[in-house]
Amino acid sequence: GASGVGKGTVLGIMMKKREDLKFSVSATTRDPREGEINGVHYDFITREQFLQMVDADAFAEYDIHHSACYGTPRKQMEEKLEKGHVILDIDPNGAFQVRERYPEVTMIFITPPSYEELEKRLRGRNDGMAEEKIVGRLDRAKWEMEQSERYDHVVVNDDVERCAKEILDIISNKEHE
Ligand code: 5GP
């Protein structure tokens, strides 16, 4: 889902309800936002470290967007995968790369009730993001929302609890397949 859609909140609710779900901690070159903890929300690394990891084929997928690099360190993801379901909070380019390498993946797109609602949420987030960054994220969100057709499921985040439950239901249905 696009930046500002509330993925973090929805994922937080889901993980509380199902403690066996493991979160894949991405590496990023962007600066931490207020409240973000290194090693928990992201591994905050330098561009140099990121490029070294690309060279070492240490990413399951990676992409450059929002003027920063983002990637899923393969080792931590595969270790978590051995223990159960792993949740990756990644952009469409990354998700399609993952689908190539791990065809058993389920791709779920979280969408806002409307584009206008997303704009309102992104502007209201109040985490000190500059106007030009907000505009960049909104442009990107339009493109991401177009990609949702290629996902296995599209879930509307009209209410965080309901949205989290819908995703948990998708996961348990998959387990009973
Ligand atoms: P944010 O900077 O708001 O935390 O994340 C911006 C975008 O980057 C979101 O769409 C998020 O899902 C995506 N993202 C976060 N981690 C990764 C990653 O490891 N790989 C890819 N491809 N995208 C990521």
Side-chain angles (χ1 to χ4, degrees):
S3 179
V5 76
K7 292 188 299 272
T9 311
V10 170
L11 290 179
I13 295 171
M14 284 168 52
M15 317 282 282
K16 265 206 188 128
K17 293 198 174 152
R18 271 203 57 171
E19 289 184 349
D20 61 314
L21 299 177
K22 308 270 177 277
F23 184 68
S24 163
V25 180
S26 294
T28 184
T29 61
R30 81 151 164 74
D31 293 331
R33 295 199 197 108
E34 219 180 298
E36 284 182 332
I37 302 162
N38 192 22
V40 175
H41 300 94
Y42 280 107
D43 287 334
F44 294 100
I45 64 175
T46 64
R47 193 166 269 260
E48 204 169 58
Q49 288 170 319
F50 193 93
L51 294 176
Q52 276 169 8
M53 288 178 75
V54 170
D55 280 346
D57 195 25
F59 288 121
E61 61 72 37
Y62 69 93
D63 190 51
I64 299 175
H65 50 258
H66 303 320
S67 344
C69 309
Y70 295 85
T72 301
R74 183 203 310 281
K75 196 162 165 271
Q76 59 88 37
M77 186 197 77
E78 289 185 347
E79 278 169 8
K80 289 171 185 164
L81 207 46
E82 276 172 22
K83 297 187 191 120
H85 294 301
V86 183
I87 307 287
L88 278 70
D89 171 357
I90 63 179
D91 90 304
N93 287 331
F96 301 134
Q97 291 171 49
V98 169
R99 181 156 64 186
E100 292 270 306
R101 289 195 174 184
Y102 306 86
E104 69 276 25
V105 72
T106 300
M107 287 174 52
I108 303 171
F109 191 85
I110 304 182
T111 195
S114 67
Y115 177 77
E116 288 69 31
E117 179 64 27
L118 182 74
E119 178 164 10
K120 209 166 94 190
R121 289 185 197 173
L122 205 51
R123 289 186 185 283
R125 193 146 80 172
N126 231 345
D127 57 5
M129 199 185 285
E131 175 64 20
E132 63 176 55
K133 279 207 171 162
I134 293 178
V135 170
R137 283 182 180 241
L138 284 169
D139 277 348
R140 172 108 187 155
K142 268 200 183 136
W143 171 80
E144 290 192 16
M145 285 162 75
E146 286 161 16
Q147 304 310 307
S148 65
E149 296 177 2
R150 298 170 63 192
Y151 281 63
D152 302 309
H153 302 271
V154 177
V155 178
V156 181
N157 184 16
D158 45 4
D159 173 273
V160 286
E161 290 284 344
R162 196 209 60 76
C163 179
K165 181 171 183 311
E166 189 174 340
I167 299 175
L168 289 173
D169 287 346
I170 292 170
I171 296 171
S172 52
N173 285 340
K174 176 118 180 161
E175 286 169 330
H176 296 114
E177 259 174 22

